[in-house]
Amino acid sequence: MIALALGVIVGLGLAFLLGKVKGRSYELTMALYTPLFVYIIADGLSMNVSGNIFVSTPFGDFQPGELAGVQTFLALILTIIYAGFRGKRALTVDEFPSVSLLTWILIAFGIGLAASESQVLLIPGLALYILLGALSRRNPLGWLRATPCQGELADIAGSRGLSCLTDEDGLTIYRVENTLVVGGRLPREFSRWKDVVECMADPGTGRTLRVISYLVPLALPFIGVLMGPGVLTALVLAVLAVPLYFGLLIISVRKTRSAMERECEEVIDEYAKFVRERKRGKREFVIG
């Protein structure tokens, strides 16, 4: 288990340091790359072992290559536990949508790495993914740092049967199932904020988008199984994760906009331009 120990130390150590410098969203993202470090180290060590050798573990007897998959899978579990503790009420309104989406992709990425070394790990990997999806459904906003809305904002959301959360500094607005999340700076800095809130409160695409966000990343584990073990597999999965991430963001934006009334188009365009001007160089996304 040398690769597991080294990879976890490197991955979570870098994540913790990055979090101190850049913030909790970067820490969580970096932590979820820990299985990649373990995979590369374990794969490199297994290449130096020859012969029909088996290693006994609590999970059974494995050849060195298969053990690399087990170590990668264990690293994924440790990473998820770490992110679960560090992520509680850690993300701002603006950070939450993009980090949440990237989390599912990186979990599927970790499963794909483990399954590429040992196909049998695809089954517990998918079981873990389904379990996490069920837990997330019970508390989809557990990583969000926000408080209940007050005043007109709460009244608008309440008139549509929605709960409402906000913060002090956010500019983003989105709906997660029956909760409307609104950045606290929006009412202070955007004159037509009421129109935007009313438009965003109506689209009922939240459940569909959540299903898409959960299911599409599952392509990565199956690609990992098809490609088999090796650094090339890790590289391909890492590269595929990038267009997958941006593709799902685009789908999310387009489906949300398509569900709005036509009269919302003008104010949403104005809102998107407003947010882009204030978020140049940042990795959040807006409906636009």
Side-chain angles (χ1 to χ4, degrees), residues 59 69-70 72-74 76-77 80 103-116 118-134 214 217-222 225:
F59 301 96
V70 173
T72 302
F73 188 69
L74 291 176
L76 176 62
I77 294 175
I80 291 171
T103 295
W104 291 110
I105 294 173
L106 292 180
I107 291 174
F109 172 58
I111 296 171
L113 290 175
S116 73
S118 179
Q119 295 182 10
V120 71
L121 290 173
L122 180 63
I123 297 174
L126 294 178
L128 175 64
Y129 195 88
I130 293 170
L131 174 63
L132 293 173
Y214 288 149
L218 287 177
L220 296 177
F222 290 98
V225 169

Side-chain angles (χ1 to χ4, degrees), residues 19 24 33 50 90 101 113 130 188 208 215 241:
R24 194 66 59 85
Y33 278 103
S50 60
L101 175 58
L113 290 175
I130 293 170
R188 300 195 301 267
T208 301
L215 293 183

Side-chain angles (χ1 to χ4, degrees), residues 147-166 173-182 193-202:
T147 57
C149 302
Q150 303 292 332
E152 288 185 278
L153 193 51
D155 293 339
I156 294 174
S159 67
R160 286 162 172 76
L162 303 175
S163 57
C164 181
L165 294 173
T166 188
I173 175 171
Y174 46 91
R175 177 175 166 179
V176 178
E177 295 187 354
N178 293 322
T179 301
L180 191 66
V181 183
V182 184
W193 70 271
K194 292 181 184 178
D195 295 331
V196 176
V197 171
E198 289 175 352
C199 288
M200 288 298 298
D202 290 332

Side-chain angles (χ1 to χ4, degrees), residues 253-272:
V253 170
R254 289 184 175 178
K255 285 192 70 66
T256 301
R257 291 204 62 159
S258 65
M260 294 180 183
E261 300 292 337
R262 181 164 295 182
E263 53 265 28
C264 288
E265 291 181 2
E266 179 186 351
V267 69
I268 293 299
D269 285 339
E270 186 178 337
Y271 162 69

